[in-house]
Structure formats: C-alpha cells, structure tokens
Amino acid sequence: MKDNSIIIIGAGFAGLSAGIYARMNGYNTQIFEMHDSPGGLCTAWKRKGYTIDGCIHWLVGSSPRSGMYRYWEEVGIARGREFINMDEYMRYESADGRTIIFYANVDRLEKHLMEFSPQDAKPIRDLIQGIRMCLGFDQPSESDPLLKRLQKILKLGLILVTRGREMRKWMNLSVAEFVMRFKDPVLREALREMWFPEFSMFFMLFTFAYLHNRNAGYPIGGSLPMSLAMARRYTDLGGIIHYDRRVEKILVKEDKAVGIRLADGSEHRSGQVISAADGHTTIFKMLEGKYVDKKTREPYEKWPVFQPLLFVGVGVNRSFADEAQNSLRHEFPSTPADGNRVCSAEQNTGPHF
Ligand SMILES: Cc1cc2nc3c(=O)[nH]c(=O)nc-3n(C[C@H](O)[C@H](O)[C@H](O)COP(=O)(O)OP(=O)(O)OC[C@H]3O[C@@H](n4cnc5c(N)ncnc54)[C@H](O)[C@@H]3O)c2cc1C
C-alpha cells in the first residue's frame, strides 16, 4: 500500500500551506519546526506592552474579488479578518522639509509627483504608465464562473502579447538604475529607499498596481495572528506540529527522500519529505549538496548576495493618530538633548502598534 505520510520541514507560511493542502487531500502530515512558534519570518513579539512587528505591511490578494483571496480563505487567514486599504502607501520626509506622498491611487500619485517635481515629468510618466500596465493583471481563479475565467485568461494573454517587450524592459531594470533618470534628488532618494535598490522595477510597479486595486490590504492584528490562524487551521485539519525540533539531515534511499534526522539524533520516516526551510540549508546542508544540478547551483554561487536586513523596533509612548501610517526617513531628535539631530528611520504607526 502506498505510504501517504509527509514530513514537512518548517512551520512558516510555506510549510503551513503545504501541510494544510496535504491534509485537505488526505495525507498524514507532521511539521518539524526549529522555533517554538509558527510563522517563520511572519511573526511579532511583545515587549513591555508594545507589539514589535516588522513583517506584514500588506497582503497581496486581500480583495475578495482577487483570484488569490480564495487561497487565503482556504489556509485560514482571510476568514473573519479585516483588511485596511491604505490611501497612502508611504510618506517620505526629506531633510529640507519637503514631503513626498506615495498615494495608492495611481491618478492621485501621478498628480502629486508631477506637482512635486515638474522637471521629472518624463520618468514620472514612464512610472505611471508602467503601473497602469500592471493594473490589468487579474489572476484567474477556480472560483470564478467559467466565462469570467476565460475572459481573464484571454485578457492576460492579450497583455502578454501586446506588452511583452515593455514588461521585459521593466523586469530587467533595477530600482537603482531607474531612479538615476530623476533630476530631483529627494524624489530619486525616496524611490531608491522605498524598497531595495537592487530589486527589479517590476516589483514596484506591481505593488502600486495592487495598492490601486485595493488588493494589498493591511491585515488588522498584523503578522503573528495570521500565522497563528494558519497553524490553527492546519491542526484543526488534524495536522501535527513539533516545535523546537531542528532538522539536520534529509534521509535519502535510492535517490528518494525517506525521512529526516533531527539535531537530537532521532530519525523519523515518511513516504515523502517537503522542505519549506530556506533553499540553501535544504540543498547544501540537509542534502549535503549531493542532489543539485548546474542550473540550481548557479544562483547560489554567482548571483550577488542580498544585503542583510536589520530590523530595529522602537516602542514610543505617545499617540500617532495624527501621523501618516507609514513614513520613511522620518525626522526626530534622537535624544531630547540632541535637539534636531536627524535620524533616518521607517516609521510604521499601523493599527497594530
Ligand atoms: C521585514 C519583512 C517584511 C515583509 N513584509 C511582507 C509584506 O508586507 N507582505 C508579504 O506578503 N510578505 C512580506 N514579507 C515576506 C514574507 O514574510 C515571507 O515571504 C514569508 O513569511 C516566507 O515564508 P516561508 O515559509 O517561505 O519562509 P520562513 O518564514 O523563513 O519559514 C521557514 C521556517 O522554517 C524553519 N526552519 C528553517 N530551518 C529549519 C530546520 N533546519 N529545521 C526546522 N525548521 C527550520 C524556520 O524556523 C521557519 O519557521 C516580509 C518579510 C520580511 C522579512
């Protein structure tokens, strides 16, 4: 008889999703997670009455009209959760007192940027045109009626045929390269700092398109409640999670994964193994680099390493009700005695703080 057991490594979003869909399809599943709680990167913690949460700023697919929403419902995230669609994605406050507002609505964004820096009309128009191109992307969903699904597939096909070259151009353009087209140094810096300079411009265009379509809402409660909801959905379906268990090795027999060995030396067997830990650890440590082809190895050896991200959360004992929800390079005195020393920081005064 076929062994229908699956061991999943990691209880982040990917591992929990794998567990939920495996349970929904009748597999016996166990997740082994090295941390003491679920969620992986999508987490938060409490300290002295503050919730420190640096992860979810927006969740793509938060609109019930989007093709992805059904999946968020299935994995237990969307059910009963309220999403807030922001009118402003981000404010950038410059040292010279000017403020750029990155509006979610593309028309408003265009008007504001044009007023902010008329000399940059050309790159602003390019940016807005790029965002408008992405507005039409609506992923077909299995829950759509057949006719609607066909319409969406046709529309996607048409966009790919007519705008394919333009899309490739944006895909191959980094944020750092694009911002050099702007003359206003504040606008240039704001766009550069908003995400990572090495990101593809495509990411920026899509994010603004999702925001415009009110399909990238902020989930009330923030990151950890979403992860806990997902873990609950998984265990409600009968799935098992073992916490504080670090997987060291994937056991292989005749080129097939047959189980895992934990850091405590114990071994656990299953019909299949899914690793939802990071790729490098999985391929080069758990599998000792024995099952990797040239194509898979190349990104790890040749691609530039992503800059490390350091997150520092600061709880401030005052109301931010009148402040923008997200602002970048906010100015504030670093200590009362310092007067106006400028600190560059991202301030998030979202409902979870
Ligand atoms: C600062 C920040 C902001 C973000 N903002 C957003 C946002 O606004 N919107 C959005 O959609 N996404 C956002 N993301 C991205 C999103 O959080 C991640 O894409 C997602 O959480 C990744 O899930 P994952 O399951 O693939 O990986 P992870 O969350 O990394 O999960 C991997 C899990 O595997 C476990 N693990 C690893 N090795 C082992 C081992 N040897 N044994 C056992 N367990 C192991 C880890 O402990 C972890 O729990 C953000 C990420 C960060 C860092």
Side-chain angles (χ1 to χ4, degrees):
M1 212 173 85
K2 200 176 162 223
D3 182 350
N4 81 340
S5 64
I6 304 179
I7 282 178
I8 297 163
I9 306 169
F13 263 37
L16 290 169
S17 307
I20 288 165
Y21 284 105
R23 284 299 305 148
M24 284 165 68
N25 285 283
Y27 288 88
N28 287 322
T29 57
Q30 299 184 68
I31 299 180
F32 289 81
E33 165 58 52
M34 67 180 185
H35 193 30
D36 60 9
S37 56
L41 291 173
C42 188
T43 194
W45 57 95
K46 295 260 186 216
R47 191 170 159 84
K48 297 190 176 176
Y50 292 95
T51 303
I52 311 291
D53 185 341
C55 195
I56 296 297
H57 296 65
W58 73 86
L59 189 74
V60 168
S62 64
S63 162
R65 289 192 312 275
S66 97
M68 278 177 75
Y69 188 80
R70 196 194 109 204
Y71 303 113
W72 293 134
E73 278 193 312
E74 272 176 354
V75 298
I77 286 180
R79 291 177 192 180
R81 192 166 311 279
E82 193 187 338
F83 291 94
I84 301 281
N85 286 297
M86 293 168 282
D87 290 330
E88 292 177 16
Y89 168 66
M90 179 82 76
R91 277 185 187 221
Y92 184 89
E93 302 184 354
S94 81
D96 64 7
R98 295 194 299 160
T99 299
I100 304 176
I101 305 175
F102 290 99
Y103 287 106
N105 178 285
V106 71
D107 304 318
R108 227 172 146 195
L109 176 68
E110 180 176 25
K111 186 168 177 291
H112 176 70
L113 294 184
M114 286 293 194
E115 281 165 7
F116 187 89
S117 180
Q119 59 177 333
D120 285 315
K122 167 81 175 75
I124 292 172
R125 259 199 303 273
D126 288 346
L127 176 73
I128 298 296
Q129 200 180 323
I131 297 170
R132 290 208 170 101
M133 175 185 73
C134 297
L135 289 178
F137 275 84
D138 192 5
Q139 194 189 346
S141 155
E142 280 170 35
S143 57
D144 287 332
L146 184 64
L147 199 61
K148 185 156 180 109
R149 210 178 334 154
L150 284 176
Q151 270 175 348
K152 283 186 181 179
I153 292 170
L154 280 176
K155 194 172 164 194
L156 269 181
L158 196 68
I159 296 176
L160 290 174
V161 170
T162 55
R163 313 293 288 271
R165 183 189 278 206
E166 198 181 338
M167 277 163 35
R168 271 194 300 280
K169 186 190 79 183
W170 284 112
M171 246 179 240
N172 294 328
L173 186 67
S174 73
V175 172
E177 287 164 337
F178 179 65
V179 299
M180 294 317 289
R181 299 179 189 175
F182 289 83
K183 294 195 180 80
D184 189 307
V186 176
L187 185 50
R188 196 189 309 144
E189 209 42 36
L191 286 164
R192 221 183 104 86
E193 280 196 24
M194 203 154 36
W195 287 292
F196 296 93
E198 56 271 66
F199 266 30
S200 160
M201 275 301 294
F202 218 46
F203 181 77
M204 188 187 285
L205 301 182
F206 259 104
T207 303
F208 275 113
Y210 283 129
L211 289 166
H212 175 93
N213 284 336
R214 303 185 90 66
N215 189 22
Y218 173 79
I220 290 291
S223 306
L224 189 57
M226 288 206 315
S227 296
L228 292 174
M230 221 163 157
R232 202 165 39 245
R233 167 84 173 129
Y234 169 67
T235 50
D236 284 352
L237 285 165
I240 297 166
I241 310 183
H242 306 277
Y243 292 109
D244 295 314
R245 305 285 183 92
R246 180 192 288 270
V247 176
E248 269 193 354
K249 193 169 167 25
I250 296 174
L251 304 172
V252 178
K253 192 175 170 197
E254 293 167 5
D255 288 345
K256 188 178 176 314
V258 292
I260 54 167
R261 183 182 307 140
L262 301 183
D264 64 13
S266 62
E267 293 190 355
H268 304 260
R269 306 272 159 177
S270 61
Q272 295 177 64
V273 177
I274 296 174
S275 176
D278 70 275
H280 189 271
T281 307
T282 305
I283 296 166
F284 297 102
K285 292 191 178 158
M286 295 177 191
L287 288 167
E288 300 170 334
K290 288 180 183 165
Y291 302 91
V292 55
D293 59 13
K294 191 165 166 271
K295 199 171 161 211
T296 311
R297 187 183 290 276
E298 199 172 284
Y300 290 101
E301 290 181 346
K302 296 202 175 148
W303 288 10
V305 177
F306 203 81
Q307 285 191 12
L309 188 66
L310 174 69
F311 170 73
V312 179
V314 180
V316 182
N317 187 13
R318 58 156 279 202
S319 165
F320 282 85
D322 298 331
E323 302 285 347
Q325 185 169 333
N326 287 311
S327 61
L328 198 63
R329 203 179 184 288
H330 197 65
E331 283 181 44
F332 54 89
S334 56
T335 68
D338 270 347
N340 279 330
R341 224 174 79 191
V342 171
C343 286
S344 179
E346 178 187 340
Q347 170 198 289
N348 189 321
T349 57
H352 56 299
F353 272 74

